[in-house]
Amino acid sequence: MKLSFPLGASTAFFYALGYPVGALAVQGATPGTVLVSRFIASVAILLVIVRVRRLEWPRGVQAWHAVVVGFLSQGLQFVGCYQAMYVGVSPVLVALVIAMNPVVTAAAASLMLRERLSLRRMVAVVLALVAVCAAFAGRVIEVGHVDAAVGWVVMAVVGLAVGGVYQQRFLTQGHPIAVNTIGVAVALVPSVAFAAATPQHVTDPTKAFWAVAILVVANSVIAASLYLAAIKQAGAAAVSLLFGVIPSIAALLTWSLMGERPDVGVVIGLLVGAVACFIGNDARTSPRGRESAVRVDVGRDGAEPVDDVARPDPVRVSGSDDAVGEVGLCADRPGLQ
């Protein structure tokens, strides 16, 4: 199934917003303080949403799969990103390194899912790399080298990519918002460990407070839930191609929020990345994806997996309105896209 434009566009925007706002947050407080505050507040809000909407939790071994996804996709990703920005890496550069997600995801999917990349998908990955290089060129020329702190972002992109592929392979139950709630709670583990291992202080309480508040709503609640819903709709490889445009969107937001004007390379990256996303949004699922497709029927008694191997349908959720949240509805309901 193709990734719908509204879901893809909203996921890209809210994800991109986190880079400049995250950079503002670590200007007001150290990364450990920001992360722990953000995740605690996010868990509280998400628990209320899940409770009020009566959303379906993953059960049994599925809950443990959600724990792994959360540790990788949120814990490792955000510790790496925030620490990189704290030590001086610009939010645009962080976004550009994270945009390597399509390549890392393709490699991870090939190893973990034994997926073969179609020619269309390979062309899209190449274009995504061109978009990243074009947007990154100006920064390299300006500073003359790539900062060693980018290693923190490499850790982040590996966690994000492997977490997405792991979710596609193993996590088949639970509403995206409920899964996200588990992920945010689990992300507290590496965040607290990182905070305990590094000095913590707050230099600008007002800036830190408002930046964390925005991150909680825009990223931990909205963006992460949309990302999980997008993977459920189109698969990790297709969704990862959104990262071809996220760096340039982040650059535009950074310009408006922090006064850092994007250069010509960033604009070129935006255009090429958009083409990469369009080409890479292949409606055909991979053979491995068809073999592992599962239909989850949600009723009054919860979610029960139904053997659907013989039919090449993607993962989908159907059932009562109580089983569907307000974020990412179209990703779970085939008739509403």
Side-chain angles (χ1 to χ4, degrees):
M1 182 181 295
K2 280 189 175 183
L3 178 63
S4 64
F5 178 79
L7 180 58
S10 58
T11 301
F13 172 81
F14 282 105
Y15 217 105
L17 181 62
Y19 293 106
V21 176
L24 291 172
V26 296
Q27 287 179 0
T30 46
T33 300
V34 171
L35 286 168
V36 173
S37 301
R38 167 184 171 173
F39 288 143
I40 289 176
S42 299
V43 168
I45 294 175
L46 288 167
L47 283 173
V48 171
I49 294 174
V50 173
R51 176 70 175 176
V52 171
R53 294 294 300 171
R54 298 179 182 178
L55 305 180
E56 186 67 26
W57 292 99
R59 300 177 179 179
V61 69
Q62 288 291 305
W64 288 107
H65 290 324
V67 168
V68 175
V69 171
F71 184 89
L72 294 171
S73 297
Q74 301 213 48
L76 293 187
Q77 179 193 178
F78 290 112
V79 168
C81 286
Y82 282 33
Q83 177 62 12
M85 289 188 287
Y86 180 70
V87 296
V89 181
S90 74
V92 177
L93 179 56
V94 172
L96 291 173
V97 176
I98 292 294
M100 294 298 292
N101 186 36
V103 179
V104 182
T105 296
S110 178
L111 293 173
M112 297 172 63
L113 305 183
R114 298 181 182 177
E115 289 186 350
R116 295 181 60 187
L117 291 178
S118 65
L119 177 61
R120 181 186 180 113
R121 188 69 51 80
M122 285 190 290
V123 170
V125 169
V126 171
L127 288 176
L129 285 173
V130 171
V132 172
C133 292
F136 189 56
R139 297 286 171 175
V140 173
I141 294 174
E142 180 182 352
V143 301
H145 65 281
V146 177
D147 197 306
V150 171
W152 284 102
V153 197
V154 172
M155 180 188 78
V157 72
V158 170
L160 176 63
V162 175
V165 175
Y166 186 95
Q167 182 205 346
Q168 181 183 347
R169 175 64 180 87
F170 297 106
L171 190 56
T172 58
Q173 291 184 10
H175 191 278
I177 298 178
V179 172
N180 182 36
T181 303
I182 295 175
V184 173
V186 172
L188 275 168
V189 176
S191 299
V192 169
F194 179 76
T198 56
Q200 300 300 311
H201 58 267
V202 178
T203 57
D204 190 335
T206 301
K207 178 184 286 189
F209 174 82
W210 286 110
V212 169
I214 294 173
L215 289 171
V216 168
V217 176
N219 286 93
S220 290
V221 176
I222 298 178
S225 295
L226 289 173
Y227 180 74
L228 291 171
I231 289 179
K232 178 175 284 188
Q233 183 183 75
V239 175
S240 71
L241 291 169
L242 288 176
F243 289 82
V245 297
I246 285 175
S248 296
I249 297 174
L252 295 175
L253 292 171
T254 300
W255 183 15
S256 63
L257 294 176
M258 303 179 66
E260 295 185 12
R261 184 176 180 178
D263 56 27
V264 176
V266 170
V267 176
I268 295 174
L270 176 61
L271 297 175
V272 177
V275 174
C277 289
F278 175 77
I279 294 178
N281 193 10
D282 195 342
R284 295 172 297 176
T285 57
S286 67
R288 177 65 179 173
R290 289 194 296 267
E291 291 171 3
S292 60
V294 175
R295 185 177 74 252
V296 180
D297 290 324
V298 180
R300 290 181 176 272
D301 298 326
E304 296 295 336
V306 179
D307 186 8
D308 205 16
V309 173
R311 286 166 285 186
D313 294 332
V315 176
R316 64 180 184 269
V317 176
S318 60
S320 66
D321 289 339
D322 287 340
V324 182
E326 295 179 354
V327 180
L329 289 175
C330 296
D332 303 322
R333 307 281 300 271
L336 300 175
Q337 296 176 30

